């Protein structure tokens, strides 16, 4: 990925070169599992033909995040955003826009990360879910969310032990269910207002 920085923030972007496959990648599953902390306090991610964000830990306690971004745009990669076995917090204050992924548009699994996304749009994802939120113990909050075209479910919310909240939700063009809510031990809210 390439970056453009000022005194206050960095913009991370991908120029479509197949050698630059990610906007932001941290994968702790391949190493010795040494704990790490990633703090990012401002900036944007714009990934073309690549994943926007992929943050993966081994246990959920070894990958501690403290990330605040103003926007994330990803198009044409395997996934737009993936959090697996992470902790800490991720906040995207503005718009998240994910298009034309071959896998999940947004996937958050097995994490204790407290996630807050502003207005979210996911469209034209491959044979899987537009949004998957599964097995998490951290609170997940989406702003108003639009899903257009998914190869499986529009939103799949399963087995979470912390609240999951969506603002107004619009789902069209899925090959399976628009929204699946199953096996959660905490409240799932659709159509929340701030």
């Amino acid at each position: 990925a390439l970056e453009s920085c000022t005194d206050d923030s960095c913009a991370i972007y991908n120029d479509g070169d197949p050698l630059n496959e990610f906007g932001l990648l941290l994968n702790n599953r391949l190493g010795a599992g040494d704990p790490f902390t990633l703090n990012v306090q401002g900036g944007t991610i714009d990934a073309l033909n690549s994943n926007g964000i992929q943050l993966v830990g081994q246990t959920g306690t070894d990958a501690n995040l403290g990330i605040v971004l103003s926007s994330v745009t990803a198009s044409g990669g395997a996934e737009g955003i993936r959090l697996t076995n992470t902790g800490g917090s991720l906040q995207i204050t503005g718009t998240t826009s994910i298009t034309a992924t071959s896998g999940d548009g947004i996937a958050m699994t097995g994490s204790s990360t407290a996630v807050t996304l502003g207005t979210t749009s996911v469209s034209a994802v491959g044979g899987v879910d537009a949004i998957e939120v599964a097995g998490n113990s951290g609170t997940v909050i989406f702003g108003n969310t639009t899903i257009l075209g998914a190869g499986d479910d529009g939103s799949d919310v399963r087995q979470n032990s912390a609240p999951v909240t969506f603002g107004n939700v619009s789902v069209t063009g899925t090959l399976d269910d628009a929204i699946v809510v199953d096996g959660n031990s905490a409240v799932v809210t659709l159509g929340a207002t701030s």
Side-chain angles (χ1 to χ4, degrees):
L2 306 171
E3 62 183 72
S4 171
C5 297
T6 65
D7 290 339
D8 296 328
S9 66
C10 287
I12 301 171
Y13 61 95
N14 185 297
D15 59 0
D17 183 333
L19 298 177
N20 298 327
E21 295 180 7
F22 297 92
L24 177 60
L25 165 67
L26 289 171
N27 190 338
N28 206 29
R29 290 169 64 173
L30 302 177
D34 294 328
F36 71 85
T37 298
L38 174 65
N39 290 310
V40 178
Q41 297 301 308
T44 62
I45 292 178
D46 187 2
L48 174 64
N49 296 324
S50 63
N51 295 12
I53 298 175
Q54 184 173 350
L55 304 172
V56 180
Q58 288 186 351
T59 65
T61 59
D62 64 329
N64 189 39
L65 310 176
I67 300 174
V68 178
L69 298 167
S70 57
S71 67
V72 173
T73 301
S75 177
E79 296 171 316
I81 298 174
R82 169 162 294 282
L83 300 180
T84 300
N85 297 330
T86 59
S89 64
L90 169 66
Q91 181 179 14
I92 302 171
T93 59
T95 301
T96 299
S97 177
I98 310 298
T99 58
T101 59
S102 58
D104 292 327
I106 298 173
M108 301 173 198
T109 59
S111 293
S112 62
T113 305
V115 178
T116 303
L117 279 68
T119 301
T120 303
S121 172
V122 181
S123 61
V125 299
V128 291
D129 302 323
I131 297 174
E132 177 187 18
V133 181
N136 297 297
S137 59
T139 300
V140 177
I141 301 170
F142 288 87
N144 292 339
T145 302
T146 302
I147 297 169
L148 177 59
D152 195 11
D153 299 320
S155 181
D156 191 353
V157 182
R158 296 178 186 265
Q159 307 295 325
N160 297 288
S161 61
V164 178
T165 303
F166 288 86
N168 293 323
V169 180
S170 172
V171 181
T172 55
T174 63
L175 292 180
D176 205 352
D177 297 315
I179 299 172
V180 174
V181 176
D182 184 42
N184 298 284
S185 60
V187 174
V188 175
T189 305
L190 303 172
T193 57
S194 51

